[in-house]
Amino acid sequence: MRVELPWTVVFGLVMVGLTESVPLTAFGDWLQNTVRMTPPHQATFYASIFIPWSLKPLYAWIVEYIPILGKHRRPYFFMCSIISAATYFLVAFVVDTPSAALGVTMVRTMSNGWVELLLSL
């Protein structure tokens, strides 16, 4: 039995993987040189930003039981994709303090967690 995935799902999963793994080296350099975050704070930062990934069961429950305009997945997907893109813009042009970096990155990882969940449902 052969099962084919829609190209949009494959593309979405590749994009989530790339946005989470490729920029990590540059992100570490940005934290140290631009934001001036010390290495011990960076360790706490990286441990903290993975917390939203553990909330994926909650995201799934919300998607299934709280529809937006009668639809379950599509509005959440587009909303979280826009939020994720906005956080990358904020990191590039606005964020320059450790607390802002943590807040924006937490929002980004949460929205990326939603997108990954929605692509795998």
Side-chain angles (χ1 to χ4, degrees), residues 88-110:
Y88 280 105
F89 177 80
L90 289 172
V91 163
F93 298 108
V94 177
V95 174
D96 59 356
T97 64
S99 58
L102 179 62
V104 169
T105 306
M106 289 288 277
V107 171
R108 179 182 54 86
T109 57
M110 187 180 341

Side-chain angles (χ1 to χ4, degrees), residues 45-96:
F45 174 86
Y46 282 118
S48 300
I49 65 170
F50 287 104
I51 292 172
W53 289 99
S54 64
L55 300 175
K56 285 171 73 172
L58 175 64
Y59 307 157
W61 183 86
I62 291 171
V63 166
E64 291 300 317
Y65 291 102
I66 305 174
I68 296 176
L69 300 173
K71 298 186 182 209
H72 290 277
R73 292 181 179 96
R74 188 170 290 172
Y76 287 102
F77 177 78
F78 286 116
M79 182 175 55
C80 290
S81 296
I82 290 168
I83 290 170
S84 180
T87 60
Y88 280 105
F89 177 80
L90 289 172
V91 163
F93 298 108
V94 177
V95 174
D96 59 356

Side-chain angles (χ1 to χ4, degrees), residues 6-41:
W7 71 270
T8 53
V9 172
V10 173
F11 179 75
L13 289 171
V14 167
M15 291 308 295
V16 168
L18 288 174
T19 60
E20 288 299 319
S21 61
V22 171
L24 278 179
T25 302
F27 199 73
D29 183 59
W30 174 76
L31 285 174
Q32 188 166 3
N33 296 326
T34 303
V35 179
R36 305 276 187 232
M37 191 179 287
T38 64
H41 286 108

